[in-house]
Amino acid sequence: MPSTKTVDLAAHPLTAWQGPLGLPDFAHIGDGDFSPVFDAALKAHEAEIEAIAGNKEAPTIENTLAALELGGEALDHVSSIFWCRAGAHTNEAIQALERDISPKMSRHFSAISMNERLFARIDDLYQRRESLKLDAETLRVLEKTWKGFVRSGARLDAEGKKRLAAISEELSSLGTTFGQNMLADERDWALFLDEADLAGLPDFLKSAMAEAAEMRGQKGRYAVTLSRSIYEPFTTFSERRDLREIAFRAFTMRGQNGGATDNTSVVREMLKLRAEKAGLLGYASFAALKLDDTMAKTPKAVHALLDPVWEKALEKAAADQTELQRLAAEAGSNEKFAAWDWRFYQEKLRAEKFAFDEAELKPYLQLDRIIDACFDVATKLFGLTFEENKGIAAWHPDARVFLVKNADGSERGLFLADYFARPSKRSGAWMSALKSGYRLGHGSKPVIYNIMNFAKPPAGEAALLSVDEAKTLFHEFGHALHGMLTDVTWPSVAGTSVSRDFVELPSQLYEHWLTVPAVLEKHALHVKTGKPMPKVLLDKMLAARTFGAGFATVEFTASALMDMAYHARPDAPAEPLRFEAETLEKLDMPDTIAMRHRTPHFGHVFAGEGYSAGYYSYMWSEVLDADAFAAFEETGDPFNPALAERLRKNIYAAGGSKDPEELYTAFRGKMPSPEAMMVKRGLV
């Protein structure tokens, strides 16, 4: 039921941001505020759309395209805060509202994209685009807007529009259900242990597990949780094979435990509806629909990248498994080598080959030092500086606020970061925006945030990261820079509003600077002594960069191939989990490695449409990022100023204002081949 409460959108803290630094005043926002403000903001946006669609004047860029882009500001404001809360600090009230608002938002935007009078005005501009003498960015925005309307059903008949709107609404609800089920399984499972169960575990992990147990009311004990920041090191170091198996099975069975949180039927229905949606819009498959607006364009092009990588990864993983089985036999294990043994013996093999283990590195990778390293690289490359403003309320006390400035001291925008895992936060790591940066109308400065799930240390102790976690921090900060450095006119092409298989380039490229020796020498300081990482350990770490490539590439590529298998067919499998098993069998998937994301918890693909038929894009972008960093290596200077300026202008600042191939070629002079990526991964 819509709220009957009158809301003043011009004054409400959810829509009129009057907190410190122009942020929302989080201290005065309650869970009960969202529903009436959403209702009022939706109504206000409907009125704006009606004014554009019903305008009696001939369509112009200003009265139609610009009006459409700038409309719905109040809705944008409340939405950005709400979806931040839903992911980073949820509760039963927020989840109930999420189930209510998801279909409501879907209905709202379906109605806009199927508004015949509105599309007629956009279509009028599109048909006259050659005579309008538009600049390149405006022309691109007009073309993307027109295509977006068409892909959303603007040209369907009345019956088709009605069915498509119903499908979109149902998919939105199902995506919300999928994500909430996944969060519930992750939140509600914990394996509580005592001191006697901790054989092999390093101190940093014991501290994190003690903190996790205390958060769950079991002070004095230790908890294995399904957060990667605890699960992965536990299965890497625990000498208790029985406990590794319990944790592995819980982790891989998220979303498939029967009962209210089981995602099996959710996935079945989503795949069926996606296939129907694609057919309605005239596409051969859902993958064909999703890939139409990407660099790859077709499922065939995606397979041309993934299939050769898969073959190489299988070969590498098979060779590695032989070595791991040797170590297991030497350790006296008579058990058949299993998936819960891989990380454990892989760490032993790393120690044997490179004479160090992850536990040796971790004291040098303090969270605050790695944050400083992220900022330091951004200063060297792009001239940005970051000033923390303490004491400003955000969505959770752990969230930190930084003012971002340009080299000349002018304000660039704001960066917020929330680093620690908690039961109210969904798993994984991501970047998003409370506000995008653009110049249209009155303009807007970007307000960007990063969310992580690192294990929180006990009070007074420093948070320590693994190499993978430090890479994740750099990765998400690369996305944040894409949002903060944006320099475009139109909101719809600002920041990360680029094709799905280009969006990972700025983030994956930024990871490379973590392992630049000068960065590590300055920021990888021992937590107790403050001394830099010894050169011998640094050299070992750099030498081991491609260690474990077989395992990592198999678990990722299996998920990407599974995503395409589901979505590149014209119909939907009757039993998705049986189809998953059959597909993996055809691919010769080793039973000793699990997919990085199995179907029932593949949030990238099923908790919304974000990476559906698009999980391959991490590897597509990796082809670009390996080649892009090679450009710096070729100059002998990882901070080469001329190259950094080309990188800023064409990759980080350009958003979606030009075709991604054009942008990449402007930076590098040519498009790359997959060879550099294969070399970087250690597969050739």
Side-chain angles (χ1 to χ4, degrees):
M1 288 287 293
S3 169
T4 55
K5 189 175 170 185
T6 304
V7 174
D8 181 0
L9 294 175
H12 197 283
L14 276 169
T15 47
W17 293 2
Q18 294 169 342
L21 302 178
L23 282 169
D25 188 357
F26 283 100
H28 291 93
I29 294 171
D31 294 350
D33 290 329
F34 285 105
S35 189
V37 174
F38 261 117
D39 287 336
L42 284 163
K43 196 171 176 183
H45 194 211
E46 283 168 11
E48 289 173 322
I49 294 298
E50 176 55 35
I52 301 166
N55 192 334
K56 301 297 183 197
E57 295 176 13
T60 65
I61 293 296
E62 289 70 29
N63 72 20
T64 302
L65 191 64
L68 184 61
E69 289 259 326
L70 293 171
E73 184 179 68
L75 185 58
D76 287 344
H77 282 191
V78 64
S79 296
S80 67
I81 299 172
F82 178 75
W83 296 116
C84 175
R85 277 289 314 275
H89 190 41
T90 193
N91 55 36
E92 287 184 9
I94 294 292
Q95 290 191 327
L97 184 55
E98 196 180 359
R99 292 189 292 273
D100 176 59
I101 201 65
S102 292
K104 202 180 279 188
M105 292 282 275
S106 176
R107 279 197 298 275
H108 175 73
F109 286 105
S110 285
I112 292 171
S113 57
M114 294 178 193
N115 184 313
E116 290 180 13
R117 291 172 302 146
L118 180 61
F119 178 63
R121 293 180 71 82
I122 294 291
D123 190 45
D124 177 274
L125 291 170
Y126 181 73
Q127 301 306 333
R128 293 190 288 120
R129 64 192 182 282
E130 299 300 335
S131 65
L132 294 176
K133 295 185 171 55
L134 305 176
D135 64 84
E137 185 184 326
T138 303
L139 177 61
R140 184 167 171 81
V141 169
L142 176 58
E143 289 175 343
K144 282 172 71 74
T145 303
W146 184 86
K147 287 176 184 174
F149 270 82
V150 171
R151 268 198 296 269
S152 299
R155 289 175 144 182
L156 294 176
D157 61 20
E159 195 56 40
K161 284 179 179 174
K162 186 178 174 185
R163 180 59 191 147
L164 186 62
I167 290 171
S168 297
E169 185 177 332
E170 203 170 339
L171 281 170
S172 181
S173 291
L174 288 165
T176 297
T177 300
F178 184 98
Q180 291 189 357
N181 287 346
M182 200 169 76
L183 176 63
D185 276 10
E186 289 166 353
R187 179 194 63 216
D188 296 343
W189 189 91
L191 176 63
F192 293 103
L193 304 177
D194 296 306
E195 193 73 43
D197 304 315
L198 308 183
L201 302 190
D203 289 344
F204 75 81
L205 181 54
K206 290 181 191 175
S207 292
M209 289 168 61
E211 183 73 10
E214 188 171 342
M215 283 171 73
R216 289 160 177 77
Q218 295 264 8
K219 189 171 183 179
R221 302 191 77 197
Y222 302 85
V224 182
T225 70
L226 300 182
S227 166
R228 280 191 189 272
S229 60
I230 286 181
Y231 164 77
E232 288 189 355
F234 181 80
T235 51
T236 298
F237 292 112
S238 175
E239 291 174 11
R240 287 282 301 276
R241 189 173 191 267
D242 58 330
L243 300 180
R244 296 200 309 266
E245 180 179 358
I246 291 168
F248 172 85
R249 292 192 184 281
F251 192 77
T252 54
M253 290 299 286
R254 289 169 295 153
Q256 195 190 341
N257 290 305
T261 63
D262 194 286
N263 273 328
T264 308
S265 61
V266 179
V267 169
R268 184 189 304 119
E269 192 60 22
M270 286 184 87
L271 291 171
K272 190 172 142 196
L273 289 167
R274 284 173 176 176
E276 186 185 352
K277 177 178 179 175
L280 256 179
L281 292 168
Y283 289 88
S285 66
F286 186 73
L289 166 62
K290 284 298 293 284
L291 292 170
D292 188 35
D293 190 31
T294 63
M295 294 179 79
K297 301 287 189 287
T298 65
K300 186 178 177 184
V302 173
H303 277 285
L305 170 66
L306 293 179
D307 294 349
V309 173
W310 178 248
E311 293 306 318
K312 293 270 191 234
L314 286 181
E315 288 171 21
K316 186 82 175 67
D320 288 349
Q321 186 171 324
T322 302
E323 288 278 84
L324 302 183
Q325 286 171 322
R326 170 184 64 78
L327 284 177
E330 286 172 4
S333 172
N334 298 316
E335 307 280 351
K336 182 178 182 291
F337 190 83
W340 46 91
D341 295 318
W342 195 292
R343 289 182 192 278
F344 181 74
Y345 286 107
Q346 183 167 269
E347 194 56 32
K348 304 280 187 205
L349 184 61
R350 187 208 306 270
E352 180 185 277
K353 282 193 167 187
F354 300 100
F356 82 99
D357 62 26
E358 278 279 344
E360 269 185 90
L361 288 175
K362 208 143 184 177
Y364 292 97
L365 301 175
Q366 299 173 62
L367 171 60
D368 281 344
R369 296 282 187 187
I370 301 303
I371 294 168
D372 287 345
C374 274
F375 292 169
D376 197 14
V377 170
T379 303
K380 285 189 169 75
L381 288 172
F382 308 123
L384 298 182
T385 54
F386 300 80
E387 298 172 7
E388 184 164 10
N389 284 248
K390 296 191 175 180
I392 295 177
W395 53 87
H396 186 274
D398 283 346
R400 298 164 65 176
V401 179
F402 299 87
L403 180 64
V404 187
K405 291 185 176 178
N406 295 307
D408 63 5
S410 60
E411 187 181 326
R412 178 93 223 155
L414 295 173
F415 172 61
L416 287 77
D418 182 357
Y419 293 111
F420 296 121
R422 53 180 172 266
S424 65
K425 185 191 281 189
R426 71 173 166 87
S427 63
W430 64 97
M431 164 270 181
S432 193
L434 291 179
K435 256 190 195 178
S436 294
Y438 54 85
R439 291 191 296 273
L440 192 69
H442 297 300
S444 169
K445 283 191 166 67
V447 180
I448 307 298
Y449 63 88
N450 275 172
I451 307 288
M452 311 285 164
N453 268 284
F454 303 138
K456 190 170 187 177
E461 289 188 26
L464 303 178
L465 306 182
S466 67
V467 175
D468 281 348
E469 287 173 329
K471 277 185 186 169
T472 297
L473 189 71
F474 264 71
H475 178 100
E476 297 305 334
F477 192 71
H479 280 310
L481 286 172
H482 201 186
M484 286 186 281
L485 285 165
T486 190
D487 186 17
V488 299
T489 298
W490 293 84
S492 64
V493 292
T496 56
S497 298
V498 298
S499 68
R500 181 60 71 191
D501 47 14
F502 191 67
V503 77
E504 296 299 332
L505 169 60
S507 53
Q508 292 178 185
L509 174 57
Y510 206 69
E511 290 179 37
H512 288 264
W513 276 278
L514 169 65
T515 50
V516 167
V519 174
L520 286 169
E521 285 160 14
K522 181 176 177 182
H523 296 285
L525 305 180
H526 195 279
V527 64
K528 289 183 178 164
T529 67
K531 290 183 178 176
M533 187 184 290
K535 188 171 187 310
V536 63
L537 184 55
L538 175 59
D539 290 345
K540 286 174 185 175
M541 187 190 102
L542 295 176
R545 270 186 294 192
T546 61
F547 177 76
F551 173 84
T553 309
V554 165
E555 67 164 9
F556 169 83
T557 314
S559 294
L561 287 166
M562 196 69 238
D563 174 31
M564 290 310 296
Y566 278 134
H567 293 114
R569 49 186 286 168
D571 57 357
E575 295 298 332
L577 295 183
R578 183 188 299 167
F579 180 70
E580 177 191 82
E582 290 168 354
T583 302
L584 293 177
E585 191 177 348
K586 284 178 192 165
L587 287 168
D588 296 321
M589 176 78 173
D591 62 3
T592 50
I593 302 178
M595 294 164 67
R596 186 159 181 84
H597 306 283
R598 283 197 57 240
T599 301
H601 52 258
F602 204 165
H604 285 76
V605 168
F606 294 110
E609 284 197 1
Y611 281 84
S612 54
Y615 194 64
Y616 78 92
S617 58
Y618 287 96
M619 190 168 282
W620 189 276
S621 291
E622 194 177 343
V623 172
L624 301 174
D625 83 63
D627 179 67
F629 193 70
F632 283 89
E633 291 178 317
E634 286 160 15
T635 71
D637 177 6
F639 299 100
N640 181 283
L643 206 51
E645 175 53 25
R646 287 219 307 272
L647 181 66
R648 184 201 64 76
K649 181 182 174 185
N650 296 297
I651 306 297
Y652 284 91
S657 60
K658 293 180 182 174
D659 179 82
E661 287 196 21
E662 184 185 338
L663 290 173
Y664 190 82
T665 305
F667 161 67
R668 188 66 163 111
K670 60 180 175 59
M671 287 298 289
S673 77
E675 276 306 301
M677 180 270 291
M678 301 271 252
V679 170
K680 173 194 157 192
R681 277 189 171 246
L683 296 176
V684 293

